[in-house]
Amino acid sequence: MDEIKVFENKEIRSVWDNEREDWYFSVVDVVGALTESINPTAYWRKLKQRLKEEGNETVTNCHVLKMKASDGKMRMTDVSAMQGIFRIIQSIPSPKAEPFKMWLAEVGKERLDEIVDPELTIEKALQTYLQKGYSREWINQRLQAIQVRKELTDVWHDHGVKEGAEYAILTNEISKAWSGMTTRQYKEFKNLKKENLRDNMSTLELVLNMLAEATTTELTNTVNPQGLAENKIVASDGGAVAGNARKDIEKRTGKPVITTKNAVDFSRLIKGVSQTLKERESEKQIEDKRHSKK
């Protein structure tokens, strides 16, 4: 899916890669926006040559995809994911690139601080969720979900499951068993792309997902499966426990547990409630002033 991003009135073409689950951006467009070169293609050609000579892997990691050009035709152009784009920005001597470079340096320092003091990571996550408009109740559930997930992956590691692709396979087994969808299908259902699925779950969805993962952890410790094949069976069984709970809730409430709502909807809801409370408080203050004058 192609999209146009805008940076300081400059259009930057982008495309979503569903397989890699990542955004890719036109390098020429980024270069043009940051340098204001009259010929960003030539600028990128020279920069790319210099990066190659320096042995920079950024150029190697660039892909070539067809994107719609200014003349309306689909033409091949260099694209890169966000990590590569940031690396290219670091190589551009331009005043417009400086804020990005300063931000990247700041992020790097924060990451080092978090390695020294891991508690900072939790505090940062808490503040980020608050800034996004989540309620403290939801945030508490989300932080607990992170702990439940960590306990599960630790158990998988101890039972012969390889990190990465095999973790993803087992996660899909759990997801299918409790929600009826793989992780990718679930994200598509919520119209998500790069966003974290758990960050876009309602409290009930989050709790059921936690139940599925916690049950899988308990069953794994009890059954003691080894390797991917045996752990797939246990993962499916663990997810089924939460799946049965979901079906029971839906039967009793007459409403589906899984919702298309995502973080944007939750944030709007919270902001709406907050705005209503502010309006009520303002009306109360006005009414109090009227009574005091009487």
Side-chain angles (χ1 to χ4, degrees):
M1 186 187 72
D2 298 341
E3 279 195 12
I4 299 292
K5 314 293 183 184
V6 178
F7 173 73
E8 294 194 353
N9 298 320
K10 298 284 187 178
E11 291 187 349
I12 297 176
R13 291 167 294 171
S14 63
V15 61
W16 172 255
D17 188 314
N18 204 41
E19 286 301 315
R20 295 186 178 93
E21 294 193 341
D22 215 345
W23 282 105
Y24 284 83
F25 303 87
S26 165
V27 178
V28 170
D29 291 353
V30 172
V31 169
L34 292 177
T35 64
E36 295 187 333
S37 169
I38 58 173
N39 191 344
T41 301
Y43 189 107
W44 168 235
R45 192 181 301 119
K46 290 181 180 179
L47 177 59
K48 181 163 62 171
Q49 183 59 38
R50 176 166 65 82
L51 292 173
K52 280 184 178 179
E53 291 170 358
E54 293 174 354
N56 193 309
E57 293 184 1
T58 303
V59 179
T60 307
N61 293 332
C62 279
H63 300 276
V64 179
L65 294 175
K66 277 190 175 183
M67 286 186 163
K68 186 178 289 186
S70 56
D71 60 5
K73 294 182 179 180
M74 299 297 290
R75 300 184 186 280
M76 303 297 287
T77 187
D78 287 337
V79 299
S80 179
M82 205 67 250
Q83 184 176 349
I85 291 295
F86 280 142
R87 187 65 189 87
I88 290 167
I89 289 172
Q90 289 174 322
S91 304
I92 296 176
S94 164
K96 285 190 175 182
E98 283 306 307
F100 292 98
K101 294 177 184 179
M102 291 177 65
W103 176 75
L104 287 170
E106 184 180 342
V107 169
K109 180 186 179 300
E110 288 178 356
R111 185 70 189 100
L112 290 175
D113 290 342
E114 289 165 5
I115 292 172
V116 175
D117 183 3
E119 190 174 327
L120 293 174
T121 305
I122 300 172
E123 181 61 30
K124 184 177 179 181
L126 175 61
Q127 292 303 319
T128 300
Y129 283 128
L130 285 171
Q131 289 169 5
K132 286 185 174 183
Y134 291 99
S135 68
R136 286 190 176 272
E137 292 76 14
W138 185 94
I139 294 171
N140 289 335
Q141 292 289 349
R142 183 67 181 95
L143 294 179
Q144 288 178 24
I146 293 172
Q147 178 60 31
V148 169
R149 175 68 181 180
K150 180 65 171 62
E151 291 172 358
L152 175 60
T153 55
D154 285 347
V155 167
W156 280 343
H157 179 271
D158 294 340
H159 287 78
V161 180
K162 296 176 183 177
E163 188 174 350
E166 291 191 356
Y167 280 17
I169 291 169
L170 296 184
T171 300
N172 273 334
E173 288 298 316
I174 294 174
S175 180
K176 284 189 294 185
W178 88 259
S179 71
M181 294 180 282
T182 64
T183 302
R184 178 173 294 181
Q185 289 169 340
Y186 206 155
K187 290 182 74 172
E188 289 174 351
F189 181 73
K190 284 182 174 285
N191 196 29
L192 303 175
K193 292 179 177 64
K194 191 70 174 175
E195 303 91 337
N196 186 290
L197 176 58
R198 291 175 179 82
D199 282 355
N200 289 275
M201 288 182 175
S202 67
T203 301
L204 189 52
E205 287 174 289
L206 202 55
V207 168
L208 287 172
N209 193 70
M210 286 170 59
L211 174 61
E213 294 191 331
T215 304
T216 301
T217 300
E218 191 66 26
L219 288 175
T220 303
N221 284 326
T222 303
V223 179
N224 196 31
Q226 295 299 321
L228 180 61
E230 292 182 7
N231 273 281
K232 278 181 71 174
I233 298 171
V234 176
S236 182
D237 289 344
V241 172
N244 290 333
R246 173 182 65 82
K247 292 170 185 175
D248 190 36
I249 292 169
E250 290 176 339
K251 182 179 178 181
R252 293 171 183 273
T253 63
K255 296 183 296 185
V257 167
I258 299 172
T259 172
T260 56
K261 290 183 178 180
N262 52 39
V264 175
D265 299 305
F266 299 142
S267 180
R268 284 174 181 163
L269 176 62
I270 293 165
K271 287 179 181 177
V273 172
S274 177
Q275 183 63 32
T276 300
L277 291 174
K278 286 180 181 179
E279 289 172 356
R280 287 179 180 175
E281 181 63 25
S282 178
E283 291 172 359
K284 185 177 182 299
Q285 289 175 356
I286 294 171
E287 191 64 27
D288 290 342
K289 286 181 181 179
R290 286 176 181 172
H291 285 297
S292 62
K293 287 180 180 180
K294 291 179 181 179

